């Protein structure tokens, strides 16, 4: 059995003049090595091969499709668009791997990947046919097919097989997690809306409780005995606005006209608008 030396530190008793203390000490021990995991070595090797194949395939496809498109568009735009052909099916393959625990969702990514691969292979074959003939086009298109096929085999080998019940269980787990995640922005929006409503309500209450610029809006039950109403039987602006509101008037201008008609004088538009806002807030609450 193969071993490897390793050094570790431990506390050991050490006595001087009859007084013992625990002091650090080092020792070297031999630890047995586990046997090589040839399966993991093999899958790592294949993964490296797939990565190289994807890079080579993408470079070849981009060059081929870019040369084809550069005949009708500027080269930077042509080669930028050419890179999308392989990036599309590579992205779908990555999503397929991420969704391996939910087969229904992985199936959509798998189908999209094969569609994007077919488009990319068709574009490479068209360029090869124009540049060198049918054989050149078919061989060039086969490069993308081989890279995609190798990757699909590796992904299928790496993905753990799941029963239908297992898949349904994981779907429910992901659904619950998604609901919890979705609650965060929804709760934030609800709290923001409630804060705006509360701020508007407090502002209106503070506004209505401040000194009224219109003397006709003051209450007849004033606590100051030295203050006497000039015309106790007259309708105040606030009362007139309330009557107009109860009659179905919702427009500030129409309410102001009604107040002027009832009280016999033109009210302040800002005062009428404030009373109308307060009534709307009370109705909404």
């Amino acid at each position: 059995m193969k071993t490897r030396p390793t050094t570790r530190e431990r506390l050991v008793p050490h006595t001087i003049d009859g007084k013992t203390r625990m002091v650090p000490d080092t020792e070297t021990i031999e630890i047995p090595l586990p046997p090589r995991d040839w399966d993991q070595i093999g899958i790592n090797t294949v993964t490296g091969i797939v990565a190289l194949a994807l890079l080579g395939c993408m470079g070849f496809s981009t060059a081929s499709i870019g040369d084809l498109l550069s005949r009708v568009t500027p080269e930077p735009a042509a080669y930028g668009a050419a890179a999308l052909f392989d990036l599309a099916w590579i992205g779908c393959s990555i999503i397929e791997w991420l969704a391996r625990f939910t087969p229904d969702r992985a199936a959509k990514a798998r189908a999209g990947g094969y569609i994007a691969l077919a488009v990319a292979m068709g574009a490479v074959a068209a360029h090869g046919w124009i540049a060198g003939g049918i054989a050149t086009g078919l061989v060039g298109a086969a490069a993308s097919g081989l890279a995609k096929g190798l990757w699909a085999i590796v992904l299928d080998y790496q993905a753990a097989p799941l029963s239908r019940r297992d898949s349904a269980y994981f779907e429910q787990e992901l659904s619950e997690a998604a609901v919890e995640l979705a609650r965060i922005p929804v709760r934030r929006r609800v709290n923001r809306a409630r804060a705006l409503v509360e701020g508007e309500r407090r502002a209106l209450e503070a506004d209505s409780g401040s000194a009224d610029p219109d003397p006709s809006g003051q209450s007849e039950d004033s606590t100051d005995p030295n203050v006497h109403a000039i015309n106790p039987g007259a309708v105040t602006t606030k009362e007139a606005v309330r009557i107009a509101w109860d009659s179905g008037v919702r427009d500030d201008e129409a309410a102001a006209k009604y107040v002027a008609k009832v009280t016999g004088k033109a009210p302040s538009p800002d005062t009428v608008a404030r009373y109308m806002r307060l009534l709307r807030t009370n109705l909404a609450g």
Side-chain angles (χ1 to χ4, degrees):
M1 178 182 294
K2 293 183 178 181
T3 60
R4 63 179 176 86
T6 182
T7 301
R8 66 180 183 180
E9 188 176 88
R10 61 175 183 170
L11 295 177
V12 297
H14 185 65
T15 304
I16 297 179
D17 294 335
K19 189 174 183 179
T20 302
R21 291 185 179 275
M22 303 299 291
V23 297
D25 189 22
T26 58
E27 66 173 348
T28 301
I29 59 176
E30 296 290 332
I31 297 180
L33 291 175
R36 289 185 178 274
D37 188 353
W38 291 106
D39 291 344
Q40 188 61 41
I41 293 174
I43 195 63
N44 290 341
T45 303
V46 173
T47 303
I49 293 173
V50 170
L52 292 176
L54 289 177
L55 291 176
C57 168
M58 185 173 178
F60 175 76
S61 297
T62 301
S64 298
I65 302 174
D67 183 64
L68 178 64
L69 297 178
S70 64
R71 301 168 187 264
V72 293
T73 58
E75 287 191 358
Y79 285 94
L84 296 177
F85 284 79
D86 274 351
L87 288 177
W89 66 262
I90 291 174
C92 289
S93 298
I94 294 175
I95 295 176
E96 177 186 351
W97 167 253
L98 296 176
R100 62 190 181 277
F101 300 118
T102 52
D104 293 338
R105 300 174 66 184
K108 298 178 182 178
R110 185 182 303 111
Y114 281 114
I115 293 174
L117 174 65
V119 174
M121 292 177 65
V124 173
H127 173 264
W129 178 56
I130 294 174
I134 297 178
T136 304
L138 293 178
V139 173
S144 297
L146 290 174
K148 169 64 175 176
L150 183 59
W151 194 354
I153 293 173
V154 173
L155 292 181
D156 185 67
Y157 177 81
Q158 289 277 51
L162 299 174
S163 66
R164 189 174 184 84
R165 291 185 177 183
D166 294 335
S167 300
Y169 177 86
F170 289 134
E171 284 281 2
Q172 294 180 14
E173 287 285 305
L174 291 173
S175 177
E176 292 180 3
V179 170
E180 294 177 3
L181 188 62
R183 285 176 180 171
I184 297 175
V186 172
R187 188 182 298 113
R188 187 183 299 120
R189 293 181 61 181
V190 170
N191 291 338
R192 185 183 298 112
R194 288 176 177 171
L196 291 175
V197 172
E198 180 65 16
E200 179 72 9
R201 184 186 66 80
R202 292 186 178 184
L204 292 174
E205 289 179 354
D207 195 11
S208 63
S210 61
D212 193 343
D214 186 357
S216 64
Q218 300 293 336
S219 173
E220 297 177 8
D221 300 327
S222 175
T223 58
D224 190 346
N226 296 322
V227 177
H228 300 279
I230 297 177
N231 190 0
V235 178
T236 64
T237 301
K238 182 183 291 186
E239 293 171 346
V241 171
R242 181 68 186 186
I243 294 172
W245 177 273
D246 293 338
S247 300
V249 177
R250 296 295 183 268
D251 182 71
D252 293 355
E253 185 176 355
K257 292 180 179 179
Y258 180 82
V259 172
K261 180 179 178 181
V262 172
T263 61
K265 63 177 181 178
S268 170
D270 294 336
T271 302
V272 175
R274 182 171 68 253
Y275 291 149
M276 292 292 287
R277 285 199 305 271
L278 183 59
L279 290 171
R280 292 189 187 98
T281 303
N282 294 336
L283 180 64

